[in-house]
Amino acid sequence: MFQDQDGIKELSAAIAELHNGSRPNTVLPSDGCLAQARKSLIQTLPEAGLGVQKAIRHLMEEVASGFNASSRSSNYYGFVTGGSTEAATLADNLVTAYDQNVQVHLPKETIATEVEDRALSLLCELLKLDPAQWQHRTFTTGATASNAVGLACGREYVIAEAGATRNSSNVSVGQVGLFEAMYQAGLDKIQILTTVPHSSLSKAASLVGLGRTSVKTIGMESSPHKFDMSLLKKNLQAPGTASIIAISCGEVNTGLFATSGIEEMQQLRKLCDTYGAWIHVDGAFGILGRILDAADYTEIIRGCEGMELADSITGDGHKLLNVPYDCGFFVSRHRDLAQHVFQNPNAAYLNAAPASNAILSPLNIGIENSRRLRALPVYATLIAYGSAGYREMLERQISLARGIANFVLSSPDYELLPQLSKPAEEVLATIYIIILFRAKDEALNKELVQRINATSKVYISGTAWDGKPACRFAVSNWKTNAAKDLSLIKNVLQSVAQEWEASKNKS
Ligand SMILES: *Cc1c(COP(=O)(O)O)cnc(C)c1O
């Protein structure tokens, strides 16, 4: 299987060492390591190659010393990074070793597409979505691509619906393009109605020809992440306009959810059915909240309740599912629509005559044609840990997040955002895996992210809130150890505040 057994042995050992090993306990490489690694990069293509051994040694000993510990260390809290479970890591190496192409369903030649379908079906079960109802399912590179798939399907649907109301049946963007389809359907405009969207929703809107300005936020003034239902209705009624509703099921700055319970989702569904609108859910990390069942998580459970009423859902594999990068997923209840959007026409060699319930060739229901077997790490990790294993991992992560939030709430130096005038227990009950906060001292607040990250003990992201800098912890690693990680974080936050006080007193 491998050309160079020694090289692979060394590589396997190095991977194990990365995961369990005795490496320095820092989340970022030092400036010196970065500079050295950068300097080591080979600048021009060698005429005679270095050979496999030398090339791999160069990667391991020089290049990799310039990488951060983003998924290896549970103390990397930047973005929503996730890690990679042991099962997923090993499976991901097998994906490369077997190098299957999952573009066409070829049941007589390989079960690769069946593994993919099974993985997606298990994933539906994990998320309490009935696989029989969610038959258009595919893997993407990440949530951004999955959002683009969602908007492409939504666009196809809402234009066809508008066409049907003026007796132009079967108007298809996939077939005739956006301009012609809009004309046939009698539409002037398509809008995406949402609250607190992730930036990638606008990017996806640009990509599918709707444009970034088609994304309209219609949140309530008092709580911007919640839909203003009367404003929503007014927008849905706009003449000559078709609408896609995008639900932020877990907002990336605060971790808050755009909806709060089945009644609200039923209300949204009814409005959308009345006006021929499509509901897309961006649940990149939030959708995993559906695996929770204990009373401690009622707020979160309600935040992802009723998502089965949506038309399509985006999720990320490389975040809370803790599989390696290059894995998002998309599920939709509209199987036929998938082919209107993604069909490769007139490619006889690609056809595998699909029966009505057969597995559809991935190339006709998703963005790529050729691609790797992204499903294998997902399949491996789901069967290795099961739903109870995933629930336990997520509960550990929430426990740490609430521990951090509780510390910030009671700290004289820091304050939790958004500032909700509620009792502490109520605020803590809303905490999922994200903690947004700032320093009370404005001058410290301006430097806070750099000062925290300079410790290299933890890494966090900077963002802005209410026009001021703010910091964000995103807990998303399966290795999270709530007690140990919390004590490290408390030490870091306390020492940063103390050093700031000391430096102020000196000057
Ligand atoms: C991370 C994230 C995205 C983008 O995901 P990628 O996997 O980076 O493409 C989209 N939406 C939400 C809510 C996210 O948290």
Side-chain angles (χ1 to χ4, degrees), residues 404 407-408 411 413-414 437 444 448 452 455 458 460 471 473 487-499:
I404 300 170
F407 171 77
V408 170
S411 156
D413 306 308
Y414 301 106
F437 72 106
L444 170 58
L448 189 56
I452 289 172
T455 67
V458 302
I460 62 169
C471 301
F473 278 93
S487 112
L488 176 80
I489 290 167
K490 279 183 185 172
N491 280 338
V492 168
L493 292 181
Q494 273 163 344
S495 70
V496 165
Q498 278 160 7
E499 275 159 34

Side-chain angles (χ1 to χ4, degrees), residues 73-84:
S73 164
S74 69
N75 291 310
Y76 186 96
Y77 301 102
F79 312 96
V80 182
T81 301
S84 173

Side-chain angles (χ1 to χ4, degrees), residues 452-507:
I452 289 172
N453 291 345
T455 67
S456 204
K457 290 184 180 144
V458 302
Y459 178 91
I460 62 169
S461 292
T463 182
W465 192 258
D466 267 351
K468 287 185 196 159
C471 301
R472 200 191 60 170
F473 278 93
V475 181
S476 58
N477 196 300
W478 69 292
K479 291 191 210 166
T480 296
N481 176 327
K484 193 166 149 233
D485 295 339
L486 181 59
S487 112
L488 176 80
I489 290 167
K490 279 183 185 172
N491 280 338
V492 168
L493 292 181
Q494 273 163 344
S495 70
V496 165
Q498 278 160 7
E499 275 159 34
W500 175 258
E501 278 307 312
S503 73
K504 252 186 8 189
N505 294 340
K506 238 183 267 163
S507 56

Side-chain angles (χ1 to χ4, degrees), residues 327-441:
C327 185
F329 53 90
F330 175 81
V331 293
S332 146
R333 293 193 288 118
H334 304 261
R335 175 174 156 121
D336 294 342
L337 204 75
Q339 298 182 77
H340 296 173
V341 179
F342 297 106
Q343 182 76 35
N344 285 258
N346 306 325
Y349 73 100
L350 297 175
N351 284 339
S356 66
N357 61 349
I359 292 173
L360 298 170
S361 283
L363 85 165
N364 288 331
I365 59 168
I367 297 176
E368 293 103 341
N369 279 10
S370 299
R371 67 174 165 79
R372 70 198 258 105
L373 183 53
R374 283 182 193 130
L376 203 64
V378 172
Y379 179 81
T381 200
L382 288 177
I383 60 165
Y385 308 105
S387 52
Y390 267 93
R391 194 172 306 114
E392 184 274 328
M393 279 178 217
L394 186 58
E395 287 178 356
R396 244 188 296 128
Q397 294 167 44
I398 297 171
S399 163
L400 174 59
R402 291 184 176 177
I404 300 170
N406 194 28
F407 171 77
V408 170
L409 274 174
S410 58
S411 156
D413 306 308
Y414 301 106
E415 63 191 1
L416 195 67
L417 299 168
Q419 282 178 314
L420 307 164
S421 44
K422 281 191 202 163
E425 310 90 83
E426 276 179 45
V427 173
L428 290 180
T430 66
I431 298 286
Y432 179 42
I433 53 136
I434 287 180
I435 305 98
L436 187 69
F437 72 106
R438 68 176 163 224
K440 289 181 182 166
D441 182 319

